Amino acid sequence: MTERKPPGVPFESWVDKQIHDAQVRGDFDRLPGAGEPLPNDLEAPYDELWWVKRKMAREGLSVLPPALALRKEAEDALTAAYAAPTERTVRKIITDVNAKIRDMLLKPPPGPPLGRKPYDVEEVVREWRERRRTTGGTHVPDASGASDT
């Protein structure tokens, strides 16, 4: 705790002296963010949830509406199915994601529509077999060209 401002001393010079004394003592030396530039969002309009967004970014979290999250999960499941080592694994991946898709179609959540129907397991297996035949059983990148190896 700092002492009280003495009477007759201008407030600005008293504050400047307090800051100078703290610098001499090293009170500012190891503060978080020392030496780093100020965040870019200082010029943005005030957002009441700034701390929530910053915490989520720091933790690597993202929140999508349920339909968009399932749409992404379905695309990832299809890619995983095409890269699966066995037919049994392909069927399991597609059956699991189809159950989630059907559930969401029966009980739509708030937000944008899912825009996805369940996959035809036999069609996915047929495509998986074709991809394995043309590549000799090695991994085939997904449509975006990404590879999980």
Side-chain angles (χ1 to χ4, degrees):
M1 188 79 182
T2 60
E3 70 274 2
R4 296 180 70 75
K5 180 181 89 57
V9 176
F11 186 75
E12 290 81 13
S13 58
W14 180 76
V15 169
D16 288 338
K17 182 181 180 325
Q18 296 296 316
I19 293 171
H20 179 265
D21 291 348
Q23 287 174 328
V24 169
R25 286 191 309 268
D27 292 350
F28 301 130
D29 289 348
R30 294 195 181 100
L31 292 175
E36 297 177 14
L38 293 174
N40 290 334
D41 58 0
L42 288 179
E43 298 298 322
Y46 182 71
D47 180 7
E48 293 178 358
L49 297 177
W50 66 267
W51 62 275
V52 174
K53 293 175 182 174
R54 193 171 291 169
K55 174 73 172 171
M56 289 177 65
R58 197 170 44 245
E59 299 292 329
L61 301 173
S62 70
V63 177
L64 290 174
L68 294 179
L70 183 55
R71 189 181 300 176
K72 172 76 171 109
E73 184 179 346
E75 291 169 4
D76 292 345
L78 190 58
T79 300
Y82 288 146
T86 65
E87 185 176 321
R88 171 183 261 168
T89 306
V90 174
R91 289 180 183 280
K92 169 110 174 77
I93 292 169
I94 297 302
T95 302
D96 290 348
V97 79
N98 278 349
K100 293 178 182 180
I101 291 170
R102 283 188 187 98
D103 185 50
M104 190 168 288
L105 289 173
L106 294 174
K107 298 179 267 180
L114 177 60
R116 170 89 49 206
K117 62 181 182 178
Y119 294 113
D120 180 348
V121 176
E122 295 306 318
E123 178 61 33
V124 173
V125 169
R126 196 171 19 264
E127 176 71 22
W128 173 80
R129 287 180 185 150
E130 179 64 29
R131 288 176 179 224
R132 292 195 53 94
R133 189 171 352 100
T134 60
T135 63
T138 60
H139 170 71
V140 177
D142 65 4
S144 68
S147 176
D148 63 343
T149 56

